[in-house]
Amino acid sequence: MAQESESRNLDKVIVRLPDGMRDRIKNSAERHGRSMNAEIVQALEQVFPPEPDIIEVIDRVHQAINQAEAAQSLPYRKGLIAALDKLSERLTSGIEFNQARTSTLSPSFLRMQDFTLRHERWKRASENGIETSDLAREIERGLFGKLDRNYTWTAIDYFKEGRADLAYKLLRLNELKFADPSDAEALIVSHLRKRYEENWGDPDEPYEPWSD
């Protein structure tokens, strides 16, 4: 009875299989000694594994950093450590950045302290929003570096018309929360206008995006 109750609580999805696939699933299930349902679930688990939470991802990055530091003979060790460290910094922040601190503590302690601070800053950004100084540094790192003329001009125009929600959606920032929305918007608009002027001319001149 307990199994029947548990089965009723499971999600059920009706799937239309193409010709021949049912037989392939049945044959595979028989080879592995599983039911067809278990075989399908196993296949789906491989294609759609559960996403790790932020703490699990950070732990894996830190383990990879420690392993890279121990591998003294690898010629690309320094580059690998730098790349992993940058990834850790991005993961822990929302749009977060290393903040230099002067200290006489040991390097290993400083590294652990830095990881802890990053996690604390990530929590703070999640609760209170991304600080404008962090946004500015991310912009310097190339946050909008791949925007072409069409996207840049359209985003500027949206801001100009007071439709910041559409601009943020276009820039894929609509799910982010800023600690000071007005300062963040002013910074983004200023950067976009400067980028447009440097590459395509006056952003206030008429332009038909995607016309070419």
Side-chain angles (χ1 to χ4, degrees):
M1 293 296 293
Q3 290 182 344
E4 292 181 3
S5 177
E6 182 180 352
S7 176
R8 283 196 294 268
N9 292 330
L10 296 175
D11 290 334
K12 295 179 177 62
V13 179
I14 297 176
V15 179
R16 295 182 177 85
L17 300 176
D19 292 342
M21 179 171 286
R22 188 182 188 283
D23 292 336
R24 298 203 304 270
I25 295 173
K26 180 180 178 182
N27 293 336
S28 179
E30 290 175 351
R31 286 197 305 270
H32 294 110
R34 291 190 284 251
S35 66
M36 288 184 63
N37 183 82
E39 189 71 13
I40 293 172
V41 171
Q42 176 65 22
L44 292 175
E45 282 284 359
Q46 294 177 9
V47 179
F48 304 107
E51 294 185 2
D53 62 28
I54 187 68
I55 302 302
E56 292 175 343
V57 174
I58 295 169
D59 285 342
R60 291 178 189 176
V61 172
H62 294 173
Q63 291 175 10
I65 291 175
N66 291 334
Q67 292 173 0
E69 288 180 327
Q72 299 292 337
S73 60
L74 292 178
Y76 51 83
R77 182 176 61 86
K78 290 184 178 180
L80 177 60
I81 293 173
L84 288 169
D85 191 55
K86 185 176 181 180
L87 173 61
S88 170
E89 189 177 43
R90 287 291 298 273
L91 286 171
T92 54
S93 63
I95 294 179
E96 192 63 73
F97 313 95
N98 236 347
Q99 296 176 358
R101 285 172 169 250
T102 308
S103 176
T104 57
L105 298 174
S106 66
S108 60
F109 184 86
L110 286 175
R111 180 175 293 276
M112 183 58 66
Q113 183 186 52
D114 184 51
F115 290 152
T116 302
L117 289 173
R118 290 178 185 179
H119 182 235
E120 291 176 352
R121 296 203 306 273
W122 170 74
K123 288 177 61 178
R124 188 176 67 249
S126 300
E127 295 172 357
N128 303 322
I130 298 166
E131 296 178 2
T132 305
S133 59
D134 290 342
L135 174 62
R137 187 165 177 181
E138 186 65 6
I139 288 175
E140 290 180 2
R141 288 183 170 182
L143 180 62
F144 304 124
K146 294 184 179 180
L147 287 182
D148 63 11
R149 180 180 186 180
N150 299 317
Y151 278 88
T152 305
W153 189 91
T154 303
I156 294 171
D157 193 56
Y158 280 151
F159 280 121
K160 193 187 303 181
E161 294 178 358
R163 297 189 290 175
D165 57 329
L166 295 180
Y168 284 130
K169 187 173 183 179
L170 183 69
L171 299 172
R172 297 184 180 180
L173 300 177
N174 53 306
E175 295 183 0
L176 296 182
K177 176 183 176 182
F178 297 102
D180 193 330
S182 59
D183 283 357
E185 179 176 331
L187 176 64
I188 292 171
V189 171
S190 175
H191 174 78
L192 292 179
R193 291 183 63 87
K194 181 179 178 181
R195 172 176 170 78
Y196 194 96
E197 289 172 355
E198 291 175 349
N199 292 278
W200 303 291
D202 187 353
D204 294 320
E205 290 183 357
Y207 174 68
E208 292 295 331
W210 293 284
S211 60
D212 52 356

PDB file of all heavy atoms in Angstrom, residues 173-184:
ATOM      1  N   LEU A 173      19.599  41.641 -17.821  1.00  0.00           N
ATOM      2  CA  LEU A 173      19.821  42.048 -16.440  1.00  0.00           C
ATOM      3  C   LEU A 173      18.513  42.113 -15.666  1.00  0.00           C
ATOM      4  O   LEU A 173      18.504  42.565 -14.511  1.00  0.00           O
ATOM      5  CB  LEU A 173      20.509  43.418 -16.388  1.00  0.00           C
ATOM      6  CG  LEU A 173      21.875  43.550 -17.060  1.00  0.00           C
ATOM      7  CD1 LEU A 173      22.362  44.985 -16.981  1.00  0.00           C
ATOM      8  CD2 LEU A 173      22.889  42.614 -16.429  1.00  0.00           C
ATOM      9  N   ASN A 174      17.424  41.677 -16.293  1.00  0.00           N
ATOM     10  CA  ASN A 174      16.107  41.868 -15.680  1.00  0.00           C
ATOM     11  C   ASN A 174      15.896  41.031 -14.428  1.00  0.00           C
ATOM     12  O   ASN A 174      15.011  41.321 -13.623  1.00  0.00           O
ATOM     13  CB  ASN A 174      14.998  41.555 -16.695  1.00  0.00           C
ATOM     14  CG  ASN A 174      15.157  40.190 -17.339  1.00  0.00           C
ATOM     15  OD1 ASN A 174      16.211  39.894 -17.897  1.00  0.00           O
ATOM     16  ND2 ASN A 174      14.129  39.375 -17.274  1.00  0.00           N
ATOM     17  N   GLU A 175      16.701  39.996 -14.225  1.00  0.00           N
ATOM     18  CA  GLU A 175      16.543  39.166 -13.032  1.00  0.00           C
ATOM     19  C   GLU A 175      17.479  39.589 -11.904  1.00  0.00           C
ATOM     20  O   GLU A 175      17.466  38.989 -10.835  1.00  0.00           O
ATOM     21  CB  GLU A 175      16.777  37.701 -13.375  1.00  0.00           C
ATOM     22  CG  GLU A 175      15.742  37.138 -14.329  1.00  0.00           C
ATOM     23  CD  GLU A 175      15.932  35.661 -14.611  1.00  0.00           C
ATOM     24  OE1 GLU A 175      16.883  35.074 -14.054  1.00  0.00           O
ATOM     25  OE2 GLU A 175      15.152  35.100 -15.381  1.00  0.00           O
ATOM     26  N   LEU A 176      18.295  40.593 -12.157  1.00  0.00           N
ATOM     27  CA  LEU A 176      19.227  41.071 -11.141  1.00  0.00           C
ATOM     28  C   LEU A 176      18.582  42.161 -10.291  1.00  0.00           C
ATOM     29  O   LEU A 176      17.704  42.885 -10.747  1.00  0.00           O
ATOM     30  CB  LEU A 176      20.502  41.612 -11.782  1.00  0.00           C
ATOM     31  CG  LEU A 176      21.354  40.605 -12.555  1.00  0.00           C
ATOM     32  CD1 LEU A 176      22.605  41.289 -13.083  1.00  0.00           C
ATOM     33  CD2 LEU A 176      21.732  39.416 -11.689  1.00  0.00           C
ATOM     34  N   LYS A 177      19.051  42.260  -9.075  1.00  0.00           N
ATOM     35  CA  LYS A 177      18.569  43.275  -8.143  1.00  0.00           C
ATOM     36  C   LYS A 177      19.735  44.182  -7.788  1.00  0.00           C
ATOM     37  O   LYS A 177      20.814  43.702  -7.428  1.00  0.00           O
ATOM     38  CB  LYS A 177      18.008  42.601  -6.886  1.00  0.00           C
ATOM     39  CG  LYS A 177      17.568  43.570  -5.803  1.00  0.00           C
ATOM     40  CD  LYS A 177      17.103  42.790  -4.585  1.00  0.00           C
ATOM     41  CE  LYS A 177      16.732  43.716  -3.433  1.00  0.00           C
ATOM     42  NZ  LYS A 177      16.330  42.945  -2.221  1.00  0.00           N
ATOM     43  N   PHE A 178      19.534  45.495  -7.892  1.00  0.00           N
ATOM     44  CA  PHE A 178      20.589  46.453  -7.601  1.00  0.00           C
ATOM     45  C   PHE A 178      20.307  47.170  -6.292  1.00  0.00           C
ATOM     46  O   PHE A 178      19.165  47.530  -5.999  1.00  0.00           O
ATOM     47  CB  PHE A 178      20.733  47.467  -8.732  1.00  0.00           C
ATOM     48  CG  PHE A 178      21.141  46.847 -10.044  1.00  0.00           C
ATOM     49  CD1 PHE A 178      20.198  46.633 -11.036  1.00  0.00           C
ATOM     50  CD2 PHE A 178      22.451  46.466 -10.259  1.00  0.00           C
ATOM     51  CE1 PHE A 178      20.568  46.058 -12.238  1.00  0.00           C
ATOM     52  CE2 PHE A 178      22.823  45.882 -11.460  1.00  0.00           C
ATOM     53  CZ  PHE A 178      21.890  45.669 -12.448  1.00  0.00           C
ATOM     54  N   ALA A 179      21.365  47.378  -5.504  1.00  0.00           N
ATOM     55  CA  ALA A 179      21.217  48.051  -4.218  1.00  0.00           C
ATOM     56  C   ALA A 179      20.737  49.487  -4.406  1.00  0.00           C
ATOM     57  O   ALA A 179      19.947  49.991  -3.623  1.00  0.00           O
ATOM     58  CB  ALA A 179      22.542  48.012  -3.450  1.00  0.00           C
ATOM     59  N   ASP A 180      21.246  50.139  -5.445  1.00  0.00           N
ATOM     60  CA  ASP A 180      20.826  51.519  -5.769  1.00  0.00           C
ATOM     61  C   ASP A 180      20.425  51.546  -7.242  1.00  0.00           C
ATOM     62  O   ASP A 180      21.261  51.816  -8.114  1.00  0.00           O
ATOM     63  CB  ASP A 180      21.961  52.499  -5.494  1.00  0.00           C
ATOM     64  CG  ASP A 180      21.490  53.949  -5.516  1.00  0.00           C
ATOM     65  OD1 ASP A 180      20.514  54.243  -6.258  1.00  0.00           O
ATOM     66  OD2 ASP A 180      22.070  54.768  -4.820  1.00  0.00           O
ATOM     67  N   PRO A 181      19.150  51.266  -7.551  1.00  0.00           N
ATOM     68  CA  PRO A 181      18.721  51.152  -8.944  1.00  0.00           C
ATOM     69  C   PRO A 181      19.001  52.393  -9.791  1.00  0.00           C
ATOM     70  O   PRO A 181      19.384  52.275 -10.950  1.00  0.00           O
ATOM     71  CB  PRO A 181      17.207  50.901  -8.828  1.00  0.00           C
ATOM     72  CG  PRO A 181      17.036  50.302  -7.466  1.00  0.00           C
ATOM     73  CD  PRO A 181      18.059  50.979  -6.609  1.00  0.00           C
ATOM     74  N   SER A 182      18.825  53.588  -9.220  1.00  0.00           N
ATOM     75  CA  SER A 182      19.029  54.807 -10.008  1.00  0.00           C
ATOM     76  C   SER A 182      20.494  54.973 -10.394  1.00  0.00           C
ATOM     77  O   SER A 182      20.807  55.333 -11.536  1.00  0.00           O
ATOM     78  CB  SER A 182      18.540  56.033  -9.232  1.00  0.00           C
ATOM     79  OG  SER A 182      19.234  56.148  -7.995  1.00  0.00           O
ATOM     80  N   ASP A 183      21.407  54.721  -9.447  1.00  0.00           N
ATOM     81  CA  ASP A 183      22.833  54.815  -9.759  1.00  0.00           C
ATOM     82  C   ASP A 183      23.246  53.752 -10.770  1.00  0.00           C
ATOM     83  O   ASP A 183      24.061  54.007 -11.670  1.00  0.00           O
ATOM     84  CB  ASP A 183      23.666  54.660  -8.481  1.00  0.00           C
ATOM     85  CG  ASP A 183      23.672  55.934  -7.646  1.00  0.00           C
ATOM     86  OD1 ASP A 183      23.089  56.930  -8.091  1.00  0.00           O
ATOM     87  OD2 ASP A 183      24.251  55.922  -6.540  1.00  0.00           O
ATOM     88  N   ALA A 184      22.696  52.549 -10.608  1.00  0.00           N
ATOM     89  CA  ALA A 184      23.021  51.469 -11.532  1.00  0.00           C
ATOM     90  C   ALA A 184      22.566  51.816 -12.945  1.00  0.00           C
ATOM     91  O   ALA A 184      23.309  51.625 -13.920  1.00  0.00           O
ATOM     92  CB  ALA A 184      22.371  50.164 -11.065  1.00  0.00           C
TER      93      ALA A 184
END
